[in-house]
Amino acid sequence: MVRFVCLLTSVMVVAGGMACREQPAQMCETPVEKTLQPNSSQYFTEITKEVGLDFTHENGADGSLRMPEIMAGGVALFDSDGDSDLDIYFTNGHHGLGTRELSNGPVNRLFRLEDDGTFADATEESGLGDRGYGMGVATGDMDNDGDTDVYVSNIGHDRLYRNRGDGTYEDVTQSAGIDIDGWSASTSFLDYDRDGYLDLFVVRYVKWDPKKDCFSRSGKPDYCGPLSFVPDNDVLLHNNGDGTFTDVSQAAGIAQTAAAGLGIVCEDFNDDGWIDVYITNDAYANNLWINQGDGTFLDDALMLGAAYNMHGHTEAGMGLIAGDFDNDGDPDLFMTHLGQESNTLLVNNGALMGFNDATSSFGLGWSSVPYTGFGLAAFDLEMDGDLDIFLVNGRVYLKEPVPGSWVLPPWNRMSEPNLFYTNDGTGKFDLLEESVESLCSPIEITRGVASGDIDTDGDVDIVIVNLRSSARLYRNDTPRKGHWLSVRAKDPRLNRDALGARIIITCGERRFSRTISSGFSYMSSSEPQAHFGLGPVSVVDSIHVRWPDGLFEEFAAVSPNQVVKLVRGEGETREYESSQRAQVASVTSGN
């Protein structure tokens, strides 16, 4: 297990016993306090060069102003080689945009985390050097063999790579029956039919025509927007359990809608035990595909208040994340948008009550209006018991440069600073500036964001992708106001992380809810682990898990400041009273 100098070791509890991730027992304790590095007031430390991470996204721009070159790329944090630490995978473009694939030139890149805390370029030996024009990446165990597979969305043919279990991958796109061509954006693994195998939901953007030219309002050549092209419909691929997938988009009901989709989250929004799908669309109404439990979906975005903003307008939906931002036990939605539109927070009012736009009341509106947002992450920065938000920005149109841009002309005309919001726990977010200057002051063109505990010290680290400048890795050095707990949920029958499992922990009178997920942000994939900041509590009284197939289990109390691995079947079975059933009962009884 990798440990960085001056960083702490974490603990993993395995259902009834303790194992310290192969570290000596005396090293398992993690103190609450975490001090900053000497002579530093920064909550994040950029360690890109220090750890040998060397990647710059190649978008192949040649002055032709082709739209895809400003929309990529993605990044994934996952364990590629089974050594229990997080490696980094970047999608990449090339100079042949419009010619599908090239036999040489830039490729997607995999960086493997080594025992000394540095990253080594393992692209060639891994087989993950995809030569398509890369957009996004999704990670998940498609064949339940205990290792993580990779799906790459492209301009052109998408690719599925199966992990052989030794850190190498094989392209199984053709044998798996996957034939997706065009412009794919974000994508995510999910088990929508609860059969134990991970399916794939692929968000599609527009039917791009490389021959089309577009112009600004002043008549100057500029990048096209989504309304310049015909929108495309999304694709749902059903995992047949034998290494093959079937396109069930028509049968599932999602092919009836065509919109310029970019972002995705898979979450049980109505608390009925079935995973739903929310899609942010660029200049079109968003989709909230409610799982009907019979293999079909119904778009209830309009009825549930999740199609438009509070003014009834469509927006340019980019990045997306689900999280319990108001600590009431259900998943809310936060999404990023084009400049002159604010980012949007949709608060979940409960299974039968839908969503409402709470952006302004939560303090997330005006500060985002000048910027065009893309990827994002939500985690408890200070371990004080609520979710904070980090998001990245970068324009899609040519404007006057922001002073201090880190990008050379003419790309400085598209660069913007990033933003970090802290949640004060009362329904209000504040823009954090000075202490996160290292994270937010670089004025670049940023797209993908992935999050995870790279150094295994109990907090969430960040990796971002920039256009025309270096990707950046940030180590979280924030002082802690409280304790933490990270939870991994494993189903031994399936031999993998239980994507879609809902984790509910109780600490005295407080309850916290998170969902195990890897697909969110913008065209990116993150560590499938539920991370909780707990505040000053000294013990987690209980942990409840609702597994993706509906089984509800309770696990015993644990101490904070550790990674807990929960194994299905080793808890005590309980009956789950969903908020939907509770509200139905209340309405029926007349209360």
Side-chain angles (χ1 to χ4, degrees), residues 429-445:
F429 284 84
D430 297 306
L431 194 61
L432 192 64
E433 298 183 271
E434 290 185 5
S435 54
V436 291
E437 184 178 0
S438 62
L439 191 65
C440 297
S441 63
I443 301 175
E444 298 174 296
I445 313 167

Side-chain angles (χ1 to χ4, degrees), residues 192 235-240 246-255 295:
Y192 78 92
V235 176
L236 178 60
L237 298 173
H238 176 260
N239 189 332
N240 301 317
T246 300
D247 187 339
V248 295
S249 308
Q250 289 287 347
I254 70 166

Side-chain angles (χ1 to χ4, degrees), residues 44-242:
F44 288 88
T45 302
E46 185 186 349
I47 58 172
T48 313
K49 293 182 179 179
E50 175 186 334
V51 299
L53 192 64
D54 182 16
F55 175 79
T56 297
H57 184 276
E58 176 56 70
N59 64 357
D62 61 2
S64 301
L65 301 180
R66 295 169 295 187
M67 189 182 184
E69 68 193 31
I70 59 170
M71 301 298 289
V75 56
L77 275 174
F78 71 108
D79 182 6
S80 69
D81 53 359
D83 63 354
S84 299
D85 55 33
L86 295 176
D87 308 304
I88 303 177
Y89 184 67
F90 297 102
T91 63
N92 208 354
H94 53 64
H95 293 281
L97 181 58
T99 60
R100 307 295 173 153
E101 298 181 9
L102 297 179
S103 59
N104 52 33
V107 297
N108 295 354
R109 302 269 295 280
L110 175 69
F111 290 87
R112 184 180 59 220
L113 185 54
E114 304 289 87
D115 290 340
D116 63 357
T118 63
F119 285 88
D121 190 335
T123 305
E124 185 173 355
E125 62 191 82
S126 71
L128 283 175
D130 190 86
R131 292 192 176 278
Y133 194 95
M135 284 283 136
V137 54
T139 56
D141 186 357
M142 73 167 195
D143 48 7
N144 294 347
D145 64 352
D147 45 45
T148 304
D149 309 300
V150 175
Y151 186 90
V152 177
S153 59
N154 285 321
I155 297 286
H157 292 285
D158 291 355
R159 290 284 184 263
L160 176 63
Y161 292 91
R162 187 182 71 84
N163 192 328
R164 296 188 179 100
D166 59 0
T168 67
Y169 290 75
E170 62 176 321
D171 183 345
V172 296
T173 311
Q174 185 173 1
S175 62
I178 295 175
D179 185 18
I180 297 181
D181 194 8
W183 188 339
S184 298
S186 296
T187 184
S188 182
F189 283 94
L190 75 163
D191 183 6
Y192 78 92
D193 55 356
R194 306 202 317 192
D195 66 352
Y197 290 96
L198 293 178
D199 313 295
L200 275 163
F201 199 108
V202 182
V203 180
R204 309 273 282 162
Y205 194 46
V206 297
K207 297 180 180 179
W208 176 62
D209 179 2
K211 298 179 181 179
K212 185 175 182 63
D213 295 321
C214 294
F215 302 88
S216 67
R217 292 180 180 179
S218 64
K220 296 180 180 180
D222 205 343
Y223 287 101
C224 296
L227 297 179
S228 301
F229 306 101
V230 176
D232 212 344
N233 63 276
D234 300 331
V235 176
L236 178 60
L237 298 173
H238 176 260
N239 189 332
N240 301 317
D242 59 0

Side-chain angles (χ1 to χ4, degrees), residues 515-534:
T515 298
I516 302 292
S517 176
S518 60
F520 51 86
S521 183
Y522 176 79
M523 299 192 187
S524 298
S525 188
S526 294
E527 181 180 22
Q529 190 160 289
H531 182 271
F532 300 85
L534 304 176

Side-chain angles (χ1 to χ4, degrees), residues 360-409:
S360 296
S361 62
F362 275 71
L364 291 165
W366 283 111
S367 59
S368 66
V369 169
Y371 307 116
T372 294
F374 279 87
L376 67 166
F379 55 94
D380 192 340
L381 175 68
E382 298 163 308
M383 312 297 186
D384 59 356
D386 46 48
L387 287 176
D388 309 301
I389 300 172
F390 169 64
L391 63 94
V392 300
N393 298 308
R395 298 168 180 166
V396 292
Y397 296 111
L398 301 173
K399 298 182 180 180
E400 288 301 311
V402 175
S405 173
W406 288 31
V407 188
L408 294 175

